[in-house]
Amino acid sequence: MTAPTLIMGARGGIGEALARRLAAAGQPLVLSARDPQTIQPLAQALGADVVACDVLDADSIKAAVQSAQSEEGLAGLAYCVGNIVLKPLKNLSEKDLLDCYRLNTVGAAIAVQAAAPALQKAQGSVVMFSTVAAGQGFGNHAVIAAAKGGVEALARSLAADLAPSVRVNCIAPSISQTEIADSLLSNEKMAEALAASHPLKRVGVADDSAAMAAFLLGTDASWITGQVLPVDGGRGALRARGQ
């Protein structure tokens, strides 16, 4: 039996797209969500196992990782949990900053810490998620950019800690058509403006980032670790024509 891959945050968006890609490739999967019922239909469709996990609770993370691993260990860990917090500086609070950091950065750190022995056993791989806003200065992004900047630094540090047996990488997407971006993309004019801000003239879709994540988790990426890879339509490196 092949060691499974644990996808934390598999309900909708990139986590679900990644699950579908890996399942199609024959990779055994364990999917986690705070409410397992929300991902049960997906798990049944993909032949995946399900574990409950509240990523704001360290004990819950450790229990989920323990339940997910097989005798062979863990082939992969994808921390697909995240949020979008947009607030002007004058309105943000200490709680905003701490809650966002805890969800995005602390949760990822605890998950990898708990999974490290199983990942080392299977010579596995870890993928985390940042944002293009961690490398670019966007207005109203202080809360989420600070937290995701922490994720990028965490990925590099953990890649050093776990080498050579485990690879750790991070993906930095731009805005994509996922549930957490609905409040922005449901406005037609805003969606058009956001698409135009990308050199490739569209916003992302979940499968754009899922494709990169599947690659990084697989053996074709066996000499890639400690990297932050943009999947952002060129927004992080280029200026769209006319801007």
Side-chain angles (χ1 to χ4, degrees), residues 56-74:
L56 297 178
D57 182 331
D59 289 338
S60 180
I61 292 173
K62 294 172 185 177
V65 169
Q66 182 65 35
S67 296
Q69 59 190 273
S70 69
E71 291 185 3
E72 291 82 9
L74 278 175

Side-chain angles (χ1 to χ4, degrees), residues 4-40:
T5 293
L6 171 60
I7 301 177
M8 307 187 80
R11 188 177 71 84
I14 295 169
E16 179 175 336
L18 175 59
R20 293 186 182 280
R21 275 187 169 268
L22 294 180
Q27 172 61 38
L29 296 175
V30 180
L31 312 180
S32 84
R34 184 167 54 184
D35 179 0
Q37 293 302 315
T38 63
I39 56 172
Q40 197 63 52

